[in-house]
Amino acid sequence: MTTESAVLRVAIIGSGPAGIYAADALLHQTQQAVAVDVFDRLPTPYGLVRYGVAPDHGTIKAVTRIFARTLADTRVRFFGNVAIGRDLSRAELHEYYGAIIYAFGASHDRRLGIPGEDITGNFSATEFVAWYNGHPDSAMDHIGLRARGVAVVGAGNVAIDVTRILAKTPDELRTTDIADHALADLGRSAVTDVYLLARRGPVQAKFTTKELRELGELSHADIVVRAEELVLDAASEAALAGQNVAQKNLEVLRGFAAKPLEGKPRRVHLRFLVSPVEVRGEESVTGVVIERNRLDARQNAVGTGERETLPVEMVLRSVGYRGAPLPGVPFDARTGTVPNNAGRVVEDDHVVPGEYVTGWIKRGPSGLIGTNKADSAETVRSLIEDIATLPRHAATDADAIAELLHARGVRVITLEDWFALDRHEIAQGEAQGRPRVKITQVEEMLRHLASVPPTAP
């Protein structure tokens, strides 16, 4: 029989895909008995899947069923509504755990760095996605979608998600788990034209073919593509060889360009080799100036000086995410990541004993949800290799951390609490023919749990 002292207690900071895949990898390794506590500053688990995946991509969100099984393992506990740096310090974690895995993602957005970027009507895709997904951190209850034209800057899946949501009708979104306030605002939207702006060509675009094809399925929007912007230079032609996704994307884009417009009430313009260089307007956005680019020998975008102005009243930048530091945890401001070697946290060129990192905060914001599985497996392999040298933690009582948080007045959200919230949201959604109706404010979540005693699922 395994004694408690023989069990390695591991804290995972973050309950998004990377954190849960790390927990799963710990459970499936056979070299060491483990007990895993997963912490999240929000009451709800699943991170990017709940608050980043577009509401009309319900099949992607089905991965939460697998995540729920991992969290429900008897060796795992969920501590929601607990913020590291506020409720617990890095030093305190070392007192209670033999190893710590940081998996807190990359939640900040990058800026364009152009004149006019702070004029009213500029938003980041991070803000916009948080708004329509009902993230508790969203500072916006409502966006007045009075703009007829919207520029979406970026050529990744998030940019396409934002574009697609803007181009869909309320009826197309009404059967999703989109936040109620967003559904109401989109129902009053005046948007007729959405311009997706890619600074490089179609071969260099980062979106997947599935996402691209979905634009062609919009019931109320024509897709406008300029054939001349799909012409490839020699370097792009060479780069296309062996890139199956890029080849399929180009095929889809050429199909869009050849298809006659149907006169639908909205239009999605896919522009390539253009960069915004100025946002115009005084009190609010009135247009965005774009410059035509060419690609140099390394396929970097270089401005040609040829410019045009798009008639837009809103600009959404989707040019990447950046990690933000956690109090006391090593952080590289240049890369926006926690410095590491194969998942081992590095500080001042030395490996920090007992500290590990996984996910976007480890490698930067790249890859799909499933990419985190291999990434977390690498981190856990490093942890298991280090077992003999892990620092000893002072506390051996599994309940000690919960008692500490209780003494500090922290309302910890347990897995049973989350299941109660989950059931409530799903029941509210069933009444409206939707997968769920999200509770979007932490205070409302806590009030609901105070009124409805949670029970195990």
Side-chain angles (χ1 to χ4, degrees), residues 40-195:
D40 201 295
R41 67 181 183 84
L42 294 176
T44 54
Y46 311 144
L48 181 67
V49 179
R50 179 175 169 93
Y51 293 120
V53 173
D56 56 347
H57 279 175
T59 55
I60 296 176
K61 298 187 181 191
V63 71
T64 59
R65 297 170 189 165
I66 298 172
F67 292 169
R69 288 199 293 269
T70 298
L71 290 177
D73 189 286
T74 56
R75 294 167 289 175
V76 179
R77 295 185 300 181
F78 177 64
F79 287 77
N81 199 40
V82 178
I84 307 305
R86 180 192 69 193
D87 303 315
L88 290 172
S89 69
R90 176 192 185 194
E92 286 172 329
L93 288 171
H94 279 292
E95 294 178 16
Y96 291 87
Y97 299 95
I100 305 164
I101 300 177
Y102 300 113
F104 52 90
S107 58
H108 287 204
D109 64 277
R110 297 179 184 273
R111 291 175 60 83
L112 297 172
I114 61 175
E117 192 173 2
D118 293 316
I119 297 171
T120 299
N122 283 280
F123 300 95
S124 70
T126 308
E127 293 173 302
F128 196 71
V129 170
W131 169 73
Y132 66 57
N133 272 330
H135 196 296
D137 287 350
S138 176
M140 303 180 294
D141 287 332
H142 300 284
I143 294 181
L145 290 171
R146 295 184 294 273
R148 295 182 63 81
V150 180
V152 178
V153 184
N157 281 347
V158 175
I160 287 195
D161 283 346
V162 168
T163 297
R164 190 180 65 255
I165 294 299
L166 284 167
K168 281 197 167 185
T169 66
D171 285 343
E172 290 175 294
L173 295 169
R174 209 177 303 281
T175 57
T176 74
D177 68 353
I178 191 169
D180 282 349
H181 58 253
L183 185 61
D185 280 2
L186 289 163
R188 296 186 290 266
S189 171
V191 173
T192 58
D193 291 87
V194 184
Y195 301 85

Side-chain angles (χ1 to χ4, degrees), residues 268-291:
V268 171
H269 307 257
L270 303 181
R271 301 292 307 272
F272 294 94
L273 290 166
V274 295
S275 291
V277 293
E278 179 187 357
V279 179
R280 289 187 171 168
E282 294 183 3
E283 295 184 357
S284 61
V285 174
T286 58
V288 61
V289 179
I290 60 175
E291 181 177 15

Side-chain angles (χ1 to χ4, degrees), residues 20 64 73 85 132 234 243 249 315-316 336 374 387 419-420 426 436:
I20 297 181
T64 59
D73 189 286
Y132 66 57
Q243 292 195 46
N249 285 349
V315 177
L316 293 169
I387 284 176
F419 282 140
I426 291 171
R436 72 174 62 238

Side-chain angles (χ1 to χ4, degrees), residues 408-429:
R408 290 178 174 175
V410 179
R411 172 56 168 104
V412 174
I413 301 301
T414 65
L415 187 63
E416 288 73 24
D417 289 331
W418 157 243
F419 282 140
L421 287 172
D422 188 43
R423 287 194 300 271
H424 173 72
E425 289 186 342
I426 291 171
Q428 295 294 107

Side-chain angles (χ1 to χ4, degrees), residues 7-11 35 37 77 96-99 393 395-398 401:
V7 174
L8 175 66
R9 300 184 62 236
V10 182
D37 287 349
R77 295 185 300 181
Y96 291 87
Y97 299 95
H393 53 85
T396 58
D397 183 358
I401 194 73

